[in-house]
Amino acid sequence: MNAGELLPTLVAAMAGALIGSLVMLLGHGAWLRLFGRWSAPRLARARTALYRGGRDDAVAALSSLPYRLRLRLLGELASSREGHDRDRIADLARAAGITRRAERMAHSRWWWRRLRGASTLALIGADEILVLSLLRDPHPGVRAQAAELAVSRPTATVVNALLENLEDPAALCRCAAQEALLRLGSSAVPALASYLEGGTGDARSAALLVALEMAQPAFTRAAIRLCEDPDPVVRVRTVGLLGAIGTLEGAEALTRRLDDPAAPVRAAAARALGQIGHWPAAPEVAALMRDRSWEVRHAAGLALRGLGSPGALLLRRFREDGNPFASDMARQILDLPATAEAPA
């Protein structure tokens, strides 16, 4: 077949494919309209039964719907004010056959089915063994979804598994684990404090970010130890954590960090001391006004400003200091408006 004969054949094939695609698209749209008309009254009756009827009426209404619509209604119930009782939602899901089907999907050999199962179970909860299995799933998408599911089962073992996922090679899973730990709140504090004392590498840095959002005194001992960590990024985050906690023991550790070899750590320590208003450290903070780093001098000046009268007195003295960098920074800080704050 030469080129002249091949061209019409190709054009006909492309036209046929285009027409087929249009037919499928139009057919799908028509099916959606018909399905919407069919399901609208059934959904309305089921909503009424869920919100106003008894348990038996709600179960019967859910069971009469296709699986997809059952999930839709349960999702609406879970996000509504009336749906805050997770036990009721879990009971309805079990009675309507949703839980059994979701658990089967969570054990599927196909990752996308396990993902759908984990997503459904996040609404209704699952037992600890299944949650742990999904948190260790081979696929990162399933592990990330399992972190949301783990919030419904905050046992010590599950919290420790979430902490292990802070070391996950997939960034999605690490972020999901952080979010889940934050949602768990006080339930995660003891395990997180222990993890901070023994964690390593990037996982420890991620755990510090979670701890910083919680800022519980239980983290003080681990944070003081981590102030000596060889990684300056860890030391910066730890100094910020001690500043957020604001204990006297932490303030003493912060004062020692004013001599840190890394400028970002010295600056963070000065900011933290100003944040908690630890005025006994004013002389040590003032010494940083002659630091070789502008960032450190600026942080020290703002910290002195936040330490009240002792800091203000030292700033006025530095205005006439023989070190031009110190005197210039003191003038800048003293000239700032009253609402000025240290940068985060």
Side-chain angles (χ1 to χ4, degrees):
M1 182 180 292
N2 56 39
E5 296 173 336
L6 182 60
L7 183 60
T9 303
L10 289 175
V11 170
M14 293 175 63
L18 179 60
I19 292 171
S21 298
L22 287 173
V23 169
M24 290 178 62
L25 183 62
L26 293 172
H28 184 65
W31 180 86
L32 286 177
R33 285 195 297 272
L34 290 173
F35 183 76
R37 291 176 184 173
W38 175 85
S39 63
R42 291 167 173 79
L43 280 171
R45 288 195 296 271
R47 283 193 187 96
T48 301
L50 279 176
Y51 290 99
R52 300 179 185 175
R55 178 186 180 278
D56 293 342
D57 292 337
V59 171
L62 278 176
S63 301
S64 68
L65 296 173
Y67 183 75
R68 185 178 63 170
L69 295 183
R70 298 182 211 176
L71 292 184
R72 177 177 165 182
L73 281 184
L74 272 188
E76 291 177 5
L77 183 63
S79 62
S80 69
R81 182 175 300 177
E82 293 84 352
H84 285 174
D85 185 358
R86 179 177 287 273
D87 290 339
R88 177 173 180 256
I89 294 174
D91 176 58
L92 292 175
R94 281 193 299 270
I98 296 173
T99 303
R100 184 170 58 254
R101 181 166 176 175
E103 289 175 345
R104 285 201 307 268
M105 294 173 70
H107 288 99
S108 171
R109 60 181 295 188
W110 309 110
W111 72 265
W112 56 87
R113 288 182 60 82
R114 297 197 303 275
L115 179 61
R116 287 182 60 192
S119 178
T120 302
L121 291 170
L123 292 174
I124 57 183
D127 62 65
E128 181 181 282
I129 295 175
L130 182 54
V131 173
L132 292 173
S133 174
L134 292 170
L135 282 172
R136 294 159 183 159
D137 193 271
H139 195 276
V142 179
R143 296 196 300 274
Q145 181 61 61
E148 181 180 351
L149 170 59
V151 176
S152 67
R153 186 65 61 177
T155 65
T157 307
V158 168
V159 173
N160 284 326
L162 280 172
L163 289 167
E164 291 175 7
N165 278 17
L166 293 177
E167 306 177 40
D168 197 290
L172 175 66
C173 298
R174 296 195 299 272
C175 291
Q178 285 179 288
E179 177 65 24
L181 289 167
L182 286 173
R183 289 178 60 191
L184 286 172
S186 59
S187 300
V189 167
L192 181 55
S194 298
Y195 185 83
L196 285 173
E197 295 196 35
T200 58
D202 293 339
R204 183 173 48 198
S205 295
L208 278 170
L209 291 178
V210 177
L212 184 58
E213 291 293 326
M214 296 181 179
Q216 296 292 320
F219 302 139
T220 301
R221 187 176 70 176
I224 290 174
R225 186 185 66 81
L226 288 174
C227 279
E228 307 293 335
D229 193 90
D231 185 349
V233 174
V234 170
R235 297 201 301 276
V236 167
R237 292 180 178 178
T238 303
V239 162
L241 174 58
L242 288 173
I245 295 172
T247 62
L248 178 60
E249 187 180 8
E252 294 171 353
L254 288 172
T255 304
R256 293 192 293 271
R257 284 300 97 199
L258 294 174
D259 293 328
D260 195 277
V265 180
R266 296 196 299 275
R271 282 194 293 268
L273 287 166
Q275 175 185 348
I276 64 179
H278 187 64
W279 63 266
E284 289 85 352
V285 174
L288 296 182
M289 292 293 289
R290 300 189 182 99
D291 196 275
R292 61 185 179 276
S293 166
W294 182 93
E295 177 192 8
V296 175
R297 295 195 302 274
H298 187 250
L302 289 173
L304 288 173
R305 182 186 175 100
L307 291 178
S309 298
L313 177 62
L314 289 168
L315 276 175
R316 286 194 291 271
R317 289 179 180 176
F318 272 106
R319 189 166 47 188
E320 306 301 330
D321 194 79
N323 184 310
F325 296 109
S327 59
D328 179 66
M329 183 58 69
R331 292 190 186 96
Q332 289 185 45
I333 298 300
L334 288 170
D335 290 342
L336 287 175
T339 55
E341 296 180 356

